[in-house]
Amino acid sequence: MDTSQLLKGVLDLAVLAVLRKDDGYGYDVVRRLRAGGLNEVGDASVYGTLRRLYNAGMLTSYVVPSEEGPHRKYYSINETGRARLAESRETWRSFASTLDGLLEEVAA
Amino acid sequence: MNTQALGVEYYLAGMRAALDDLPPNEVAEIMEDVEAHVAELSTELGDDETLEQRLGSPELYAQELRQAAGYPPKTERLPVTTKGGWLTRPRAAAWGLVAATGVTLLAGVAALREPAILLLPAVILVLSLALVHDRGPLQQEIMNLPETHRLKKWLAVEPGTPAERALTYLTSLQPAWWLIRAGLLGLGAVLLAGRDILGFLALAAIAVVSVFAGPRAKVDRRWLWFSLPASALAVGLLFQVIDVTANQLAYGSSSRSSYPQPIVEPYQNIYVYDENGKLLTNVLLYDQDGQPINAPRGYNSCNDPGNGPEPVIPANRYPRPKIDYENGVCYTVAPSVSAPSSTASTAPSSSGSAPSSSVPPTSVSPSK
């Protein structure tokens, strides 16, 4: 099964999760997702997701000048984002356990 | 390295083209992210690796990003970019900034004479910044203008060349310039302090804010609307200070030769004769305003310490006593030459109404 199809539905959750502790700029978020095991995540998808979460009011952004190269725009999660993260985590857990149960029955 | 830099520019241009139907604000925000991303990626690339191999074509990247961000696909053109045409707000704002900076440079040269002239560039700056203030700190739309790209290309130097080293060195001097700029503006304020309190306050405020404006403009390009004209004003003031100083130096050295003062023979005493050639004594002289006429006192006046306390005599009473050096007493002596009889005839002797010596001529002075 192609995990990239699965990712589409949960990328919001994954991006909010990696921003929960520390603010990050786009490529930073990509790296954290990959370090967390999501090797197939596409750069452009992450950037698009950041924009969507930002436009939905779940992230704020600020610009940090860089010694070499363009400025870096950092995203940080706000209260709305945290609420969404908590809500999505519950949804995901119940969904995953439901699916686990289904798969257990199949295996049994 | 250089081909990588070209690759980045090419890739970003492709991205912009693939996003150009989106609202400009949103494109600017996306490009802020993507520029940093592509720049960072390009440093990780191997020698024969390209951005396309790593990220896919700009069009594919844009398509994936649009999908994830929930933007409509490229075919649905939003009407935002079709209106506006050639004279967009970013373009008007950019040229407003350029014009205001130029005007400030010219006005700065005259700012000490007439500080109110600075209101003209100030109005242009406020108007042009108002056009784009809501477009974010990076002003990506202005950075994307074709004229901005041409300017960047023109300023771009190849790494490793002397020109690049010079540019790097000049860039490192920037904080020093911010301080010098504040100093020049402060000097301008001080020079205005006595004459124009509003101009003084305005220049002093600009001087103080300019210290912060320099570093702020590095992060938020909107500060350029303050920082650039402040630099122009400082340079203009510098020109003016140089000009004034040079003028004063030139004036000081050449004033005597170019503007000869009329030579006045100093006189130390006045002798008055009547029409009969008789020396008048104890004559009080006044000018048309009733002020006593005082001849400059020479060293031979009667205030020698050997004389005791100076006798109280009006300074405008003529002839003054003259000291006799031989016995150290003051007494009036006639001038060495006798009264010129020829000038006596030209004197206004026909007017027999000459006032007596004791009457100040204020009564007959010409009415003021």
Side-chain angles (χ1 to χ4, degrees), chain B residues 3 26 31 39 42 77 94 138 149 171 174 187-188 192-194 218 225 246-247 250 263 266 272 290 329 342 345 366:
Chain B
T3 52
E26 194 59 32
M31 292 312 291
S42 69
R77 283 190 74 91
L138 291 195
H149 279 286
T171 310
Q174 242 181 348
L187 176 66
L192 273 179
K218 291 263 163 195
W225 268 259
N247 269 352
I263 293 165
V272 188
V329 292
S342 58
S345 60

Side-chain angles (χ1 to χ4, degrees), chain B residues 96-113:
Chain B
L97 174 59
V98 170
T101 304
V103 171
T104 309
L105 182 62
L106 296 178
V109 178
L112 289 184
R113 279 188 289 273

Side-chain angles (χ1 to χ4, degrees), chain A residues 31 43 45 52 71 73 75, chain B residues 29 33 40 64 68 218:
Chain A
R31 282 208 196 100
D43 300 61
S45 296
R52 189 154 44 78
H71 308 288
K73 192 162 65 187
Y75 289 94
Chain B
E29 294 270 3
D33 286 334
E40 189 164 353
E64 187 184 334
K218 291 263 163 195

Side-chain angles (χ1 to χ4, degrees), chain B residues 216-240:
Chain B
R216 290 295 304 157
K218 291 263 163 195
V219 185
D220 186 341
R221 292 205 172 103
R222 286 174 291 192
W223 275 96
L224 288 176
W225 268 259
F226 184 91
S227 195
L228 281 183
S231 286
L233 181 57
V235 171
L237 287 173
L238 179 65
F239 281 147
Q240 193 175 4

Side-chain angles (χ1 to χ4, degrees), chain A residues 28-39:
Chain A
D28 198 23
V29 173
V30 173
R31 282 208 196 100
R32 286 190 219 170
L33 290 169
R34 286 189 182 144
L38 296 177
N39 296 313

